[in-house]
Amino acid sequence: LSYIFKNRNFMASYKVRLVSASHKLDTTIDCPDNKFILEAAEENKIELPYSCRAGSCSTCLGKVQSGSVDQPDQTFLDPE
């Protein structure tokens, strides 16, 4: 068998659990690897706190409880 894939976009998608007691939030969303978590949340009608959309103000700061986050453009925050 031979398969030819043309113009196909095979991109990873991740399950992201968003939890905030103060916002009464505990839900899981799909987040494609070409989107920011904030964008995926907005598309799912979930309002998350943010101010700058660049990662410099720390308003959207979250805690990774498991797994990892790839944020190569971020130069403002420490890993802790």
Side-chain angles (χ1 to χ4, degrees), residues 33-68:
D33 70 355
N34 68 338
K35 289 201 185 249
F36 294 112
I37 293 170
L38 178 60
E39 293 172 331
E42 289 175 333
E43 289 177 0
N44 283 276
K45 309 290 189 255
I46 299 169
E47 292 184 28
L48 297 178
Y50 71 91
S51 290
C52 69
R53 298 188 78 88
S56 63
C57 69
S58 301
T59 301
C60 64
L61 184 67
K63 181 177 181 181
V64 178
Q65 293 185 338
S66 67
S68 62

